[in-house]
Amino acid sequence: MNQKQKILCVLYDDPVSGYPTQYARESIPELKQYPDGQSMPSPAKIDFNPGDLLGSISGGLGLKKFLEDQGHEFVVTSDKDVQNSVFDQEIVDADIVISQPFWPAYLTAERIAKAPNLKLAITAGIGSDHVDLQAAIEKNMTVCEVTYCNSISVAEHAVMQILALVRDYIPQYKWVIDGGWNIADSVSRSYDIEGMDVGVVAAGRIGLAVLKRMKPFDVNLHYTDRHRLSEDVEKDLNLTFHADVESLVKSCDVVSIHCPLHPETEHLFNENLISKMKKGSYIVNTARGKICERDAIVKALETGQLAGYAGDVWFPQPPPNDHSWRMMPNHAMTPHTSGTSLSAQARYAAGVREILECWFAEKPIRDEYLIVQGGGLAGTGAHSYSEGNTTGGSDEASKFKV
Ligand code: NDP
């Protein structure tokens, strides 16, 4: 494919203090392969320093030189939600859109319809629910993501948040910052996780990594998934399998959510399901905000049905400044950061470059990276998603003001 392409890349803004000139660490570990043996991203070359900030505007996923040297047009913007945003203006003649789930460019059916040349949507990360997959299927587009690139990053964040909730870390930290020494206040909601029942909804790459990381805490581990893990894995981790999510939540003190957002899982955690949980349960959701019903979570925290809620995913993103999850009691939310550590960025930037190299050379993109291709779900998409659209309501992101 020799003709010039227009690549539109939507990334989050640089730090308010400016693009970093130095970093806390001089390097990141070089991984040889993913835990299941899948090979790491393997572009022919990279033009960035692994460990640098690549996911923000000035980092540009390290793609600028590569694309411009070949004569392609590379447009990078963070302006994506307001009316007549740069994203909306530039998409009309874009061939390829690249977006990160942390600052998602919502590729709705309307936007796809406005972009006659658009053939490829790349998720720099994992989770392509910000794309109307039904519209992409109907337009015969390719949608792909960098499978596994940040699965372990998210698993680490989920374990951190499980502990933060059960031990009630955030208020204790706040007492220190505020100059206090209030032990009784600090411990009045603090428990040990040892002996608790901890379950994951979906035991894919992230869910299984969370189970493995929780095992040394001497908890009872549970999971539900559409496909069952092997007997060996179940035995090794002493797992209890639940045929459905309802059975899982009834048995657990802590539930960590790790399924993709697709029509089957949208608003899975609604008032009805949460009412079946043990009183005083905890939910950690690093999967997608829309898997949980916003008001049901707030209500459950207010009534004490949930003792805590944490995670890093919201709907939409960015959430409006008055989004109720910012203010609800006993939460330990972060902005959507778990999958965009500097370590993860190096992997997904390399993965995006690999995908682009394949695309320009008209070589097949790895099957495990595919979500939609050839007019249907494909690769990982065929295994883990269902057809349809989950972008409805994403225009609310335009209410966020810096
Ligand atoms: P995987 O594809 O490895 O795992 C997803 C698992 O979800 C699969 O085992 C799949 O089942 C299962 N699943 C799908 N639908 C259901 C359902 N209705 N009920 C139960 N299980 C279901 O992906 P990862 O583990 O790498 O990532 C999972 C999700 O985490 C991503 O899709 C994304 O939304 C989110 N994520 C968040 C990040 C962050 O920064 N916060 C970063 C990366 C991912 P099966 O395939 O067996 O049918």
Side-chain angles (χ1 to χ4, degrees):
M1 193 182 295
N2 290 324
Q3 79 266 33
K4 182 183 147 183
Q5 304 264 301
K6 175 169 173 181
I7 297 101
L8 174 56
C9 185
V10 179
L11 301 176
Y12 46 77
D13 279 316
D14 286 347
V16 285
S17 52
Y19 190 73
T21 51
Q22 53 182 10
Y23 292 89
R25 296 182 57 80
E26 286 175 352
S27 64
I28 56 171
E30 198 182 321
L31 307 179
K32 299 287 178 228
Q33 60 174 32
Y34 292 113
D36 70 351
Q38 183 188 311
S39 60
M40 307 303 289
S42 49
K45 192 173 170 256
I46 53 168
D47 299 310
F48 59 83
N49 185 32
D52 284 2
L53 180 62
L54 302 167
S56 74
I57 292 288
S58 298
L61 296 176
L63 294 171
K64 190 172 163 55
K65 181 174 178 340
F66 162 64
L67 292 173
E68 291 183 351
D69 280 358
Q70 294 184 55
H72 299 303
E73 183 184 356
F74 185 45
V75 178
V76 182
T77 183
S78 63
D79 182 28
K80 67 182 184 79
D81 296 306
V82 293
Q83 221 183 355
N84 205 26
S85 64
V86 173
F87 176 47
D88 274 319
Q89 291 172 42
E90 297 284 351
I91 198 171
V92 293
D93 58 350
D95 300 280
I96 299 171
V97 167
I98 304 172
S99 170
Q100 298 172 115
F102 325 102
W103 187 257
Y106 291 107
L107 259 182
T108 56
E110 297 72 39
R111 288 194 173 112
I112 289 175
K114 274 196 330 193
N117 300 344
L118 186 61
K119 289 167 220 69
L120 174 65
I122 305 176
T123 302
I126 304 173
S128 298
D129 48 275
H130 58 280
V131 180
D132 182 333
L133 295 181
Q134 194 60 43
I137 287 170
E138 283 159 20
K139 195 174 184 220
N140 203 12
M141 282 173 59
T142 296
V143 180
C144 53
E145 52 189 54
V146 189
T147 299
Y148 231 142
C149 66
N150 54 11
S151 301
I152 302 304
S153 324
V154 178
E156 290 183 3
H157 199 92
V159 171
M160 172 183 83
Q161 291 192 313
I162 291 171
L163 294 174
L165 282 184
V166 176
R167 309 240 14 136
D168 207 29
Y169 167 67
I170 305 277
Q172 298 174 30
Y173 175 75
K174 197 159 178 299
W175 279 113
V176 172
I177 297 294
D178 292 346
W181 191 256
N182 300 46
I183 306 289
D185 292 282
S186 294
V187 300
S188 59
R189 297 180 63 86
S190 181
Y191 297 91
D192 295 352
I193 195 150
E194 185 182 24
M196 285 192 177
D197 288 87
V198 177
V200 298
V201 178
R205 293 168 182 84
I206 300 174
L208 179 58
V210 168
L211 291 168
K212 285 183 179 166
R213 280 156 183 73
M214 290 308 299
K215 189 185 172 204
F217 286 95
D218 291 333
V219 292
N220 308 307
L221 293 171
H222 303 251
Y223 81 103
T224 184
D225 197 295
R226 298 197 301 195
H227 298 89
R228 207 160 163 169
L229 294 165
S230 72
E231 246 178 75
D232 286 353
V233 174
E234 286 194 355
K235 217 165 138 197
D236 185 38
L237 297 173
N238 196 15
L239 299 178
T240 304
F241 172 73
H242 296 263
D244 57 56
V245 69
E246 199 175 306
S247 160
L248 177 103
V249 301
K250 282 180 179 165
S251 308
C252 289
D253 304 291
V254 181
V255 173
S256 194
I257 304 174
H258 300 294
C259 50
L261 169 63
H262 56 106
E264 254 177 55
T265 60
E266 183 168 348
H267 292 153
L268 181 65
F269 279 76
N270 54 20
E271 198 170 342
N272 181 38
L273 184 65
I274 294 170
S275 73
K276 310 241 159 79
M277 300 179 80
K278 294 187 202 173
K279 187 165 165 52
S281 298
Y282 303 89
I283 294 179
V284 170
N285 177 13
T286 52
R288 283 296 179 262
K290 224 185 191 186
I291 296 171
C292 294
E293 224 177 58
R294 189 187 303 184
D295 294 345
I297 296 295
V298 177
K299 191 170 162 202
L301 287 168
E302 285 172 352
T303 60
Q305 174 61 12
L306 287 179
Y309 182 92
D312 69 326
V313 285
W314 307 65
F315 187 81
Q317 290 185 180
N321 307 64
D322 62 354
H323 191 292
S324 49
W325 287 9
R326 293 180 190 267
M327 280 77 74
M328 62 193 181
N330 302 316
H331 83 76
M333 296 291 292
T334 56
H336 192 166
T337 50
S338 65
T340 186
S341 58
L342 295 176
S343 324
Q345 289 177 37
R347 290 188 292 273
Y348 65 69
V352 171
R353 169 113 178 215
E354 177 191 331
I355 290 167
L356 288 169
E357 286 177 1
C358 291
W359 184 259
F360 295 142
E362 296 182 39
K363 287 190 191 153
I365 295 167
R366 295 186 200 201
D367 208 41
E368 66 250 33
Y369 288 174
L370 293 176
I371 302 300
V372 166
Q373 194 165 58
L377 294 172
T380 294
H383 204 259
S384 295
Y385 285 74
S386 56
E387 289 185 5
N389 168 38
T390 54
T391 63
S394 55
D395 50 342
E396 203 200 351
S398 64
K399 291 189 197 157
F400 173 76
K401 303 278 177 293
V402 183

